[in-house]
Amino acid sequence: MTSLPPLGLLLDVDGPISSTRTRTVRLHGLAADLVAIARSGCPVVFNTGRSVDFLAEQVLPALTRAGLTAADPVWGVGEKGGTWFSLVERNGSPTVGEVSLDERIAPPPALVEAGRRIAAEYSEIVFFDNTKRTMVSLEQHVNVRRDEFLPCRDRIVEAFEFAIGDTGATGFTIYPTVISVDVEHVDSGKALGAQRALELIAPRMEAPRRWFTAGDSGQDYDMASYLHEHGFDVTHLDVRLSGEVPAVPFPVIRELPVLEDGSAEDDITARHISRLRLEIGA
């Protein structure tokens, strides 16, 4: 009988893996450790609000440079459970395979168009993310300072509140982040992403009993909660810029980034992923 993998990784992308400053995977050591863990037989699943395109253009190339192959147990869940994929090989490199899409949670065209109009109104601060298929996202330009974006974010939220009411789009909510404003279906979320992750893993291997999750938002606790509720042992790494640890029935590692000292969210994650790699002997 094949033994269970000793560990599974279920990871948010923005913040814990890719820098919210550069929007890239800037730490080669982090990419190398993730690949080593995957190549040891442990599943690594990215569970993000980002699109599949972002994973294909920013995350997978960094992992490929670190030695990732299409045969490694790595999967992607985008748009908080709205899209998901397995790896395939193309031109000798691992890339996104067929993308599954949950049309049930996709926004109506009228709400998408309202998002484009709002983005045009605040085009010096944000841009419309054309790669999203089941969400509407307006993202801060990389060269815009956080203190410029945050006041604008509040106005964008108000504009979306009006747009949702005006278009009659039911079942959608607004979720502001440190770099964006997302409009998403209430049935989407990191718990749905965790469900997708287990479904992706199942045809290939039995899911490990022990999981490590990481995120930089309150929503990211939902994927850890989902795993815990389904009988898995889970430890969650919280690298939010602020906020207290909620009352949850699983261990939480809370580390606050100290941006002035250069310790960003991805630096914190990198330290823990390196520790886990050594622990399992990958």
Side-chain angles (χ1 to χ4, degrees):
M1 178 181 294
T2 304
S3 61
L4 285 178
L7 178 69
L9 300 181
L10 186 58
L11 306 169
D12 179 33
V13 172
D14 266 333
I17 303 299
S18 65
S19 168
T20 55
R21 294 172 174 175
T22 66
R23 320 287 164 84
T24 64
V25 180
R26 65 184 182 90
L27 302 177
H28 177 75
L30 173 57
D33 287 339
L34 290 171
V35 170
I37 290 171
R39 302 206 78 174
S40 74
C42 297
V44 175
V45 187
F46 298 104
N47 182 19
T48 179
R50 282 289 189 180
S51 67
V52 165
D53 300 66
F54 184 86
L55 291 171
E57 295 167 7
Q58 296 296 337
V59 178
L60 291 184
L63 298 184
T64 300
R65 290 190 293 271
L68 182 73
T69 73
D72 296 325
V74 172
W75 293 269
V77 179
E79 301 183 47
K80 301 179 184 177
T83 57
W84 59 100
F85 67 88
S86 299
L87 293 180
V88 298
E89 184 175 325
R90 187 172 299 128
N91 299 323
S93 297
T95 190
V96 171
E98 181 180 356
V99 178
S100 297
L101 171 70
D102 189 345
E103 296 183 356
R104 178 184 57 89
I105 62 174
L111 184 55
V112 176
E113 287 307 308
R116 292 186 186 278
R117 290 194 297 271
I118 297 169
E121 182 177 353
Y122 297 99
S123 60
E124 292 185 359
I125 303 295
V126 299
F127 63 92
F128 184 90
D129 187 345
N130 287 299
T131 67
K132 296 290 183 77
R133 310 181 193 194
T134 62
M135 296 170 61
V136 179
S137 293
L138 274 56
E139 184 175 331
Q140 169 193 354
H141 290 296
V142 174
N143 62 346
V144 170
R145 298 195 315 271
R146 183 164 293 167
D147 61 358
E148 294 177 300
F149 168 67
L150 292 180
C152 179
R153 185 184 68 177
D154 295 338
R155 296 193 295 272
I156 290 172
V157 168
E158 292 176 358
F160 268 124
E161 289 172 345
F162 177 82
I164 289 173
D166 187 53
T167 60
T170 58
F172 288 87
T173 188
I174 305 164
Y175 189 76
T177 79
V178 296
I179 60 169
S180 70
V181 175
D182 297 330
V183 179
E184 57 198 51
H185 196 277
V186 294
D187 289 341
S188 69
K190 292 304 182 78
L192 178 61
Q195 176 188 327
R196 304 281 193 222
L198 294 178
E199 292 169 349
L200 284 166
I201 291 168
R204 180 164 175 177
M205 65 175 69
E206 186 175 351
R209 304 313 306 168
R210 178 190 175 203
W211 286 84
F212 179 85
T213 62
D216 71 338
S217 76
Q219 280 191 340
D220 290 312
Y221 278 85
D222 294 342
M223 58 181 165
S225 294
Y226 183 91
L227 292 171
H228 175 80
E229 290 164 4
H230 286 77
F232 297 97
D233 297 325
V234 58
T235 297
H236 181 65
L237 172 64
D238 179 353
V239 295
R240 288 176 295 162
L241 296 178
S242 62
E244 299 298 323
V245 175
V248 291
F250 48 82
V252 174
I253 302 169
R254 177 69 173 113
E255 290 201 27
L256 189 69
V258 184
L259 301 181
E260 295 80 3
D261 296 337
S263 176
E265 301 97 309
D266 49 345
D267 293 296
I268 295 171
T269 307
R271 291 199 299 272
H272 287 279
I273 296 298
S274 179
R275 170 180 59 81
L276 291 169
R277 176 184 178 179
L278 291 173
E279 185 180 314
I280 65 173

